[in-house]
Amino acid sequence: MTRLWWLPVLALLLSACQTRPVTTGDFTRPEQIKRWEMNGKLGYRTPEDGGSATFDWEQAPRHGAIHFSGPLGFGSAELTWRPGMARLETAKGQWQARSPGELAWHLTGFWLPVSALEYWSRGLVWPGAPADAEENEAGQLVRLRQLGWELEFDRYEPVGRVALPHRIKAEQEANRFTLLIREWQPLP
């Protein structure tokens, strides 16, 4: 029994080395959020078509997945991507491309800049293209012109200690979409 006196000490030392889990309260700025889950509704309109679908989006720094369900003409669709490769699976078929935006064409009939939406959905300017941005007095993005799109961020809600967009309206020529985010879950 006296030979094992060090076990409780070792257990105490190891427990002191553990880090506490990251929570939504740890984020104070949108750019700190690199991983998330969100869900909501995407509505779109083109001169030829229009529709909407609910979505569940999981994002990590170098890959993502969006599951769409509803009347997009496909029933449901799964869009996944990682650097240099994207895949869209629906009941009507499977497609691959270099970026998720190229594949979103099959869902909406226009180029939906999914890579930029990773930033826009957090209320951030996408760093991959020039932009003209307008912020409110709280420093939140309210209007943005980027990639030929004109975006309006008209509803922010608190998620932990950071305010994140919950509605984004976008227009490019005759194409429009609205992203309505119902639930945001930043992840560690």
Side-chain angles (χ1 to χ4, degrees), residues 45-59:
R45 176 138 329 269
T46 70
E48 298 82 30
D49 194 18
S52 65
T54 59
F55 69 86
D56 293 295
W57 184 339
E58 295 178 27
Q59 183 66 47

Side-chain angles (χ1 to χ4, degrees), residues 20-29 32 159-162 185-186:
R20 74 177 176 83
V22 176
T23 66
T24 57
D26 293 332
F27 299 110
T28 58
R29 296 185 326 272
Q32 294 172 317
V159 178
R161 296 180 357 190
V162 64
Q185 182 60 51

Side-chain angles (χ1 to χ4, degrees), residues 88-142:
L88 175 64
E89 294 183 42
T90 74
K92 294 184 178 180
Q94 298 179 11
W95 296 269
Q96 290 189 20
R98 292 186 53 77
S99 75
E102 295 173 58
L103 295 175
W105 180 274
H106 293 284
L107 297 173
T108 62
F110 61 86
W111 177 67
L112 187 64
V114 177
S115 298
L117 273 172
E118 291 178 33
Y119 288 83
W120 297 346
S121 64
R122 292 178 286 157
L124 301 171
V125 174
W126 181 51
D132 181 22
E134 180 184 329
E135 296 179 343
N136 62 17
E137 55 281 344
Q140 299 165 336
L141 199 56
V142 292

